[in-house]
Amino acid sequence: MKNIMRALLLFFFYSSPLAIYAQQTLHTDLNLKYLIKEPAVKTAKSPLIILLHGFGSNETDLFDLAASFPKNFIVVSARAPMSLGPDAYQWFGNKTVKGVTEGDEGDLKRSRNKIKIFIVAIVKQYHADPSQVYLCGFSQGAMMSYEVGLTSPGLLKGIAPLSGRIFDSLKPEVKKSASLGHLKAFIGHGDADNRVDPVSATHAAAYLKKMGMLPSLHFYKGMSHSISDSEIQDLVKWL
């Protein structure tokens, strides 16, 4: 009888939302702290998607998206290195250049390098397929997806910047190459975004085409600075 009661208690605990949260173990063994969901369908070398959160958030923010991705994917959500306060982090600070808000170049380079090191380490540690690595970010995380993908395209199969933009400071560091031409890009943006102008997505797509890429550009009617179910469905189809 005691064993039956224990089994029932375990069932209700592990099927509850609290238990799902409790199982989100924060890993601190690499240069960026992270959460990971290993694939339900395992293969010798699993594809990998790394999620980068936005300003003032943390690694838990996008981790719920893991349930939407294909079951053979390893899903990792990384924490930005710069603390703003309890449970609040950023990838870079901002500065104003000729009336336009840009990311601090020093912060961008430091975070870019940290993400590159993290990608190499996470692929090795979890035996992911190095030819099937995707970087997906929202807002500041989207900017970092551009920063990493466009400067080290050989590390990635594709980038998925959501509600982001390409900073002018990045462009002098981007070089045309075969690796860049093969880099896939999914650009998602709400047409009602009041934080990052939707035209940023149009400009980014045009720039990527100029650099030899073929981006997939998606606008979402009425969506503000957020992520919608339709956007995630399109992202999953793209993957």
Side-chain angles (χ1 to χ4, degrees), residues 24-57:
Q24 292 184 3
T25 302
L26 180 65
H27 294 264
T28 60
D29 53 331
L30 300 180
N31 68 319
L32 295 176
K33 295 177 180 178
Y34 64 98
L35 300 173
I36 184 166
K37 178 181 179 292
E38 297 200 55
V41 177
K42 292 191 176 182
T43 55
K45 291 285 185 180
S46 298
L48 166 69
I49 185 164
I50 299 171
L51 306 174
L52 306 178
H53 64 77
F55 171 83
S57 190

Side-chain angles (χ1 to χ4, degrees), residues 9 21 35 40 42-43 46 70 76 95 105 115 147 150 169-170 204 224 234:
L9 287 170
Y21 178 79
L35 300 173
K42 292 191 176 182
T43 55
S46 298
V76 171
K95 65 179 184 179
E105 291 181 44
I115 294 168
E147 293 278 329
L150 298 185
S169 61
L170 173 62
S224 59
D234 289 341

Side-chain angles (χ1 to χ4, degrees), residues 4-124:
I4 294 174
M5 290 300 295
R6 183 173 181 274
L8 286 171
L9 287 170
L10 287 172
F11 170 78
F12 286 118
F13 175 76
Y14 282 111
S15 60
S16 70
L18 180 61
I20 293 169
Y21 178 79
Q23 292 178 77
Q24 292 184 3
T25 302
L26 180 65
H27 294 264
T28 60
D29 53 331
L30 300 180
N31 68 319
L32 295 176
K33 295 177 180 178
Y34 64 98
L35 300 173
I36 184 166
K37 178 181 179 292
E38 297 200 55
V41 177
K42 292 191 176 182
T43 55
K45 291 285 185 180
S46 298
L48 166 69
I49 185 164
I50 299 171
L51 306 174
L52 306 178
H53 64 77
F55 171 83
S57 190
N58 58 59
E59 69 284 352
T60 65
D61 188 42
L62 301 180
F63 196 54
D64 285 347
L65 297 179
S68 301
F69 295 130
K71 295 185 184 299
N72 63 324
F73 266 71
I74 300 170
V75 182
V76 171
S77 187
R79 176 190 290 183
M82 300 173 64
S83 178
L84 294 168
D87 298 323
Y89 301 88
Q90 66 176 356
W91 297 99
F92 55 87
N94 291 320
K95 65 179 184 179
T96 302
V97 180
K98 297 180 180 179
V100 178
T101 300
E102 291 277 333
D104 180 88
E105 291 181 44
D107 291 346
L108 287 166
K109 288 182 179 180
R110 281 186 289 272
S111 285
R112 182 202 306 168
N113 289 334
K114 286 178 183 293
I115 294 168
K116 291 176 184 179
I117 292 168
F118 182 75
I119 291 170
V120 173
I122 206 86
V123 166
K124 181 179 180 181

Side-chain angles (χ1 to χ4, degrees), residues 148-218:
V148 175
L150 298 185
T151 56
S152 293
L155 285 178
L156 300 166
K157 175 69 176 291
I159 58 173
L162 311 178
S163 303
R165 55 180 285 227
I166 297 175
F167 289 124
D168 287 340
S169 61
L170 173 62
K171 294 177 180 178
E173 300 188 51
V174 182
K175 310 298 180 187
K176 278 189 175 182
S177 67
S179 294
L180 186 62
H182 291 138
L183 184 69
K184 309 299 182 186
F186 175 100
I187 301 172
H189 215 113
D191 68 358
D193 193 329
N194 61 353
R195 293 191 187 179
V196 180
D197 195 326
V199 76
S200 299
T202 304
H203 290 165
Y207 176 74
L208 297 188
K209 288 178 181 176
K210 178 183 173 183
M211 299 305 293
M213 296 172 59
L214 295 173
S216 178
L217 177 60
H218 301 258

